[in-house]
């Protein structure tokens, strides 16, 4: 198994999620704010899901709110105790599911589904090594540090800069 390396920056991109077993990798790379300085979209992050392997390769553009990072943090808590999770399941975009290792499978299975867009889905088992959840937490902390929440929604359709 190939050693795990956190790709923090390359070409201005930061990984939020990165899983690899040496043959196949799944990444969610944050590309930056969707509309820096524009209140309603300042805290939206443009990103991409990238899957690379000997059998499958693909890329999917996504966008999510900084509040979705809190949901990812909670998902990491669940993964740490062996529960399966879903992330980005907003009903109108891609979903990332991670099915924990169990009696039927000794490795986590990653499911990426773009039902509302392309209609495609991928089911990818990846043999992760120990400490993989903590590495995801480290990457999450780096993304939050780089792109902190700076906008407050004060009422429907009204936004202010955080004080």
């Amino acid at each position: 198994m190939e050693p795990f390396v956190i790709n923090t920056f390359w070409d201005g991109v930061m990984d939020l999620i990165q899983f690899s077993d040496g043959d196949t990798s799944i990444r969610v790379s944050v590309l930056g704010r969707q509309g820096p300085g524009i209140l309603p979209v300042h805290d939206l992050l443009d990103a991409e899901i990238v899957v690379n392997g000997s059998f499958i390769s693909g890329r999917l553009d996504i966008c999510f709110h900084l509040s979705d990072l809190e949901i990812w943090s909670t998902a990491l808590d669940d993964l740490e105790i062996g529960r399966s999770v879903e992330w980005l399941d907003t009903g109108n975009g891609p979903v990332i599911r991670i099915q924990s290792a169990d009696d039927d499978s000794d490795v986590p299975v990653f499911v990426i589904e773009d039902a509302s867009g392309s209609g495609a889905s991928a089911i990818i088992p990846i043999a992760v090594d120990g400490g993989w959840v903590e590495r995801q937490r480290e990457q999450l902390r780096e993304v939050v540090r780089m792109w902190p929440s700076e906008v407050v929604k004060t009422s429907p359709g009204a936004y202010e800069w955080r004080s």
Side-chain angles (χ1 to χ4, degrees):
M1 186 176 308
E2 187 174 291
F4 182 86
V5 177
I6 294 177
N7 287 332
T8 305
F9 289 101
W10 74 97
D11 297 333
V13 174
M14 178 182 278
D15 283 349
L16 169 63
I17 299 171
Q18 182 185 30
F19 298 102
S20 177
D21 64 7
D23 180 48
T24 304
S25 67
I26 298 172
R27 263 188 357 244
V28 174
S29 300
V30 178
L31 308 173
R33 292 187 189 273
Q34 186 176 69
I38 303 169
L39 275 172
V41 294
H42 181 80
D43 278 356
L44 285 172
L45 295 178
D46 284 328
E48 63 184 359
I49 300 171
V50 179
V51 177
N52 282 311
S54 58
F55 178 72
I56 186 171
S57 292
R59 186 180 132 325
L60 179 63
D61 290 329
I62 61 173
C63 181
F64 57 86
H65 290 274
L66 281 166
S67 60
D68 290 319
L69 297 179
E70 294 170 19
I71 298 167
W72 177 236
S73 178
T74 301
L76 290 172
D77 294 341
D78 287 344
L79 286 168
E80 195 165 48
I81 59 174
R83 291 187 185 143
S84 297
V85 300
E86 285 188 1
W87 186 60
L88 291 181
D89 188 10
T90 60
N92 62 352
V95 176
I96 298 173
R97 290 186 184 86
I98 304 172
Q99 299 168 351
S100 293
D102 57 22
D103 294 339
D104 295 333
S105 174
D106 58 350
V107 300
V109 175
F110 298 80
V111 179
I112 299 167
E113 187 176 280
D114 183 31
S116 64
S118 66
S121 63
I123 301 170
I124 307 154
I126 295 186
V128 294
D129 57 355
W132 64 280
V133 172
E134 184 53 36
R135 284 191 296 277
Q136 302 312 304
R137 284 188 207 284
E138 290 171 20
Q139 290 176 212
L140 172 59
R141 284 190 290 271
E142 284 299 307
V143 167
V144 170
R145 185 184 63 75
M146 179 61 90
W147 291 287
S149 177
E150 296 176 340
V151 175
V152 177
K153 186 174 184 177
T154 56
S155 63
Y159 302 87
E160 291 180 0
W161 294 108
R162 285 191 190 275
S163 304

